[in-house]
Amino acid sequence: GENVEQHPSTLSVQEGDSAVIKCTYSDSASNYFPWYKQELGKRPQLIIDIRSNVGEKKDQRIAVTLNKTAKHFSLHITETQPEDSAVYFCAASIMGRDDKIIFGKGTRLHILP
Amino acid sequence: KAGVTQTPRYLIKTRGQQVTLSCSPISGHRSVSWYQQTPGQGLQFLFEYFSETQRNKGNFPGRFSGRQFSNSRSEMNVSTLELGDSALYLCASSLGGAQDEKLFFGSGTQLSVL
């Protein structure tokens, strides 16, 4: 079955710098890759997602890149701000197939003042 | 539009007991999926219900079960509780399948097993 590995587990960056979180997946059939952000004590919320027919997607300071050949995808946050401090989860699934979505174990991002 | 509602917010149980958690999805959403969240283990998929049918199941023992009602509300049951079942249990709803699109999560039920 699908396996998703996420690195690093913890990341500290200076405010204003960029942060990159990487995930690899095992099932080459996976074609949907969402990213969720969970602030302390709150529910996870989708921040961006990408489907396998594109290699990159941007939304303001957030971008996700996908390398299907290498089976990995990454979340990029530029010009980090204190409100970016949270746990980020990547996930992979196969759209349209009766199969489960698999999440990575999460990355705790600390934005340092 | 009301979000995903989970009840209760907190639960304290002892080993061997059973527990039932409830999840009310966003109106119109037909899929409800459940996840166990523990420190360091991320979000582990428990199962998904779609139109009252279990669609997928994760790698959890049979003590974990669920169901979905005709109004899409879902319940999760854990029998013979063990200490290791202590976790935050999250449910999420979506219009289509959990593997197809954005999930809307509830606030979770924090279960402590003593």
Side-chain angles (χ1 to χ4, degrees):
Chain A
E2 175 68 280
N3 183 49
V4 175
E5 297 205 355
Q6 183 172 348
H7 299 280
S9 56
T10 306
L11 178 62
S12 297
V13 301
Q14 213 67 39
E15 183 178 345
D17 287 350
S18 296
V20 181
I21 301 170
K22 299 181 180 180
C23 289
T24 59
Y25 59 99
S26 59
D27 192 336
S28 57
S30 291
N31 55 12
Y32 178 57
F33 307 94
W35 286 88
Y36 288 84
K37 173 184 179 183
Q38 186 177 28
E39 296 177 47
L40 191 63
K42 299 199 173 176
R43 65 191 77 190
Q45 291 192 301
L46 181 78
I47 53 170
I48 195 166
D49 59 9
I50 190 168
R51 288 168 169 78
S52 61
N53 57 342
V54 296
E56 184 176 5
K57 184 177 179 181
K58 279 186 180 180
D59 183 3
Q60 300 184 339
R61 297 186 297 108
I62 293 172
V64 57
T65 58
L66 172 64
N67 183 325
K68 286 187 291 183
T69 304
K71 291 190 282 188
H72 69 70
F73 56 111
S74 300
L75 178 71
H76 305 253
I77 306 174
T78 58
E79 299 171 14
T80 52
Q81 299 170 5
E83 54 266 34
D84 295 329
S85 292
V87 178
Y88 292 81
F89 294 97
C90 64
S93 67
I94 304 170
M95 292 174 59
R97 196 164 92 177
D98 222 1
D99 207 347
K100 53 198 177 192
I101 183 169
I102 301 298
F103 284 84
K105 292 187 177 181
T107 296
R108 183 171 295 278
L109 176 62
H110 299 277
I111 306 301
L112 306 172
Chain B
K1 212 176 199 181
V4 179
T5 305
Q6 287 189 249
T7 56
R9 188 72 181 90
Y10 301 95
L11 264 179
I12 299 175
K13 293 285 186 179
T14 55
R15 278 182 301 170
Q17 287 187 309
Q18 75 163 25
V19 67
T20 299
L21 282 51
S22 179
C23 175
S24 293
I26 290 172
S27 177
H29 285 193
R30 296 164 68 187
S31 167
V32 174
S33 49
W34 289 87
Y35 305 85
Q36 182 191 68
Q37 184 174 18
T38 53
Q41 291 300 311
L43 296 165
Q44 293 186 282
F45 175 87
L46 280 155
F47 30 66
E48 180 192 3
Y49 286 86
F50 189 92
S51 295
E52 301 180 66
T53 301
Q54 187 180 88
R55 218 172 153 178
N56 287 298
K57 193 177 190 324
N59 299 324
F60 280 83
R63 301 185 296 106
F64 291 81
S65 63
R67 58 179 175 167
Q68 187 179 35
F69 302 95
S70 58
N71 61 358
S72 292
R73 189 178 71 85
S74 177
E75 287 182 348
M76 190 190 100
N77 186 76
V78 188
S79 62
T80 320
L81 283 166
E82 300 178 359
L83 295 177
D85 296 334
S86 294
L88 179 66
Y89 290 88
L90 291 161
C91 74
S93 76
S94 56
L95 265 174
Q99 76 279 16
D100 290 336
E101 56 188 75
K102 178 179 180 178
L103 298 175
F104 293 83
F105 282 89
S107 296
T109 294
Q110 183 67 54
L111 173 64
S112 297
V113 183
L114 307 178

